[in-house]
Amino acid sequence: MDLFDQATSTDHSAGSPLISLVNILAVSYLSEYYSVCVVKPKEEFVIIDVEISTMIIIVDERFNQTLLQGIEHGCQAFIVFQQVALWPFLDSFLDVHDDSDQRSSRKKLIVVIDSTSPEIFERFCNHPAVKDLPDVLIVVASTENETMQFYTTEISGDGTRGNVLVRMLPVTPPDYFSNKSKNMKGVPIRFQTLMYPPFTYYAETTPENANARKDPRYYEDDTPIFIDGTEPRLLVEFCQRKNCTIDAYFDEVGLWGGVSENRTGTGILGAVATRRADFAVAANYYWLGPYRFATYSEVISRSGLIVLVPKPNIVAPWRTPFLSFSKSLWMAVAVAFSVGVCAVWLIEKGRSHIVGSSRGHPKSLSDSFLTMIGFYMEQNAFMRNDLMACVFLFSALLFAGFMVGNLYGAGLAGIMTIPQFERAIETRHDLADRGLIFVGNDLAWMFALMPSPQAYIQKIVRHFKVVDDEYMIQHRNIHDVGYIGERTQFGHFGPVDYLDVESSKHFQLLKEDLSYQYCVVILTKTCPFKQSFNDLMITIRQSGIQYFWETLVANRYLSVTIQQNLLGSGPSDNDAVVLGVSHFLGAFLILSIGCSFASIVFCLECVYVKLKKSGIKINWMMGWKNVLSFPLFGSKYIEKNNVVSNGRS
């Protein structure tokens, strides 16, 4: 027994056979939905008394707001009575869904009318909202002969670019809602992307190799197109299984673009939000801006946002003697050295008071300085042993100098044989602290980072600069900027079209991602094939074939040498090297500075002595005479001063 017979044989105490039929259709085909909206004219009397959630929406001056509220509260299927309610419903269907936050798929529509007029059917088939409602059942109830007829739509392509045909077909019971997603009958899907391997790729080709056509709204020529990449392959596979076609447009000007609050937009994101496209991919993330007027598919893959930074430069050879210790360790050694010099000088002063000058003159400050240098350099140094305090002190200094000298020698051996590099930029914090400007071709790179409340992330966002491809190519050999990019799920990096093999040797990837996101397809909110595509997407992800696809696409469209240089990146030439003259530049520099300083001081001393012998008095030199006679410069000055003092007394 079909539904019509069941409706006519049912008790009609609740209403006419038509209402009974609608109740049976609702409970049979719409009970899977959260709620059903019943749209009717104000004068129409309708009773839906089956156990499903329903909302009655009356077509009046507030119809759009009421329909929006119904959809927001979970209306996922619709029953529309009479033409008076049908046309306002279809006119509002797309806009109201775009304004709603609900994104249910596989919507169903039951239309109850009382006429099979060709004008009505033609108007219905030509309405743009019908293309997003393939699951529709039209019930035509004739009041004259008390018969009911059932119709549905057939949506197909006619073989030409951009054309979608919708025609009315009678329904043969009991298959009132057939699964039309199994065969889409050549319906063209408006597809938008950009050149972004390994995620997306396209090229003009021959008809036998083509898998897409150019969208006639943007291109006059009908050149066959081959689309490839880890993401377009999903749509190609979907259309091969579901019998649909692809009309493609490649936005290399707007790129990803963006979407404004007033539902205007640019790039591939704006195209879907304004319904100029049905399907867009290019490593799109779960961005909040486009989501206001569009929806997303299931996860395609994981992608990490990462920066390609210049490799650190090798440390200048003259710095070699100073690299054995870190700055803090050098400070500790300097403090210990100063303390040792003061200790030797003070104990010599104390010793002179205890044993007198008969057992040798005390060491001056300069003698103490040279003694400590001898300890640290592991050279011979004169040590007193006539006092136990001297024995303890010089023993401690000898041991400390031995340790410092050996540690310095061990560090220097490693420094001189293994090339040393400047501090590398390896983490997010390094990137923020160093202030390196990094560039990309679109602001969409920063969409994932902009909402972050962390200060260092906001600092990174401020260092990002949107530039054109020419700028990136010009700076690849200057090494003054970094490049934003993505690390794919299976380890490849893109884009790299601004690099060549030689310049790629001078860049390295951060050791951690700035952030990671999941790549998705951006679709219209009422996309009729979203659920079918998601089902296929889950099957593909479970199969593991995406690893093979990514490897294949990367080998085809990305330079293998550049990928190897970047993915194995790090400071180059890490192997041990043969010692050369450059390793001793630091020692030669110290020797040169010491000899130059000694020569200058010696010349000044000669001038001073010559002026003194000639009897010329120079006030500022006489002022320094007392300083020069301080024990810092040797015990002979002390002895000379003692003789002069005794003579005067």
Side-chain angles (χ1 to χ4, degrees), residues 3 31 36 105 160 212 236 238 327 339 355 421 466-467 497-498 520 568 637:
L3 293 183
S31 58
V36 178
S105 57
T160 59
V236 172
F238 178 79
K327 291 183 180 179
V339 171
V355 300
F421 294 87
V466 178
V467 299
D497 50 348
Y498 46 82
V520 292
Y637 289 99

Side-chain angles (χ1 to χ4, degrees), residues 196 305-308 438-442 445-446 449 464 472 482-486 493-495 498 514:
Y196 189 48
L305 195 64
I306 197 168
V307 177
L308 195 63
F438 62 102
V439 299
N441 57 1
D442 198 283
W445 290 106
M446 292 293 103
L449 299 181
F464 177 74
M472 291 191 283
Y483 296 94
I484 192 71
E486 292 187 70
F493 176 80
Y498 46 82
L514 295 183

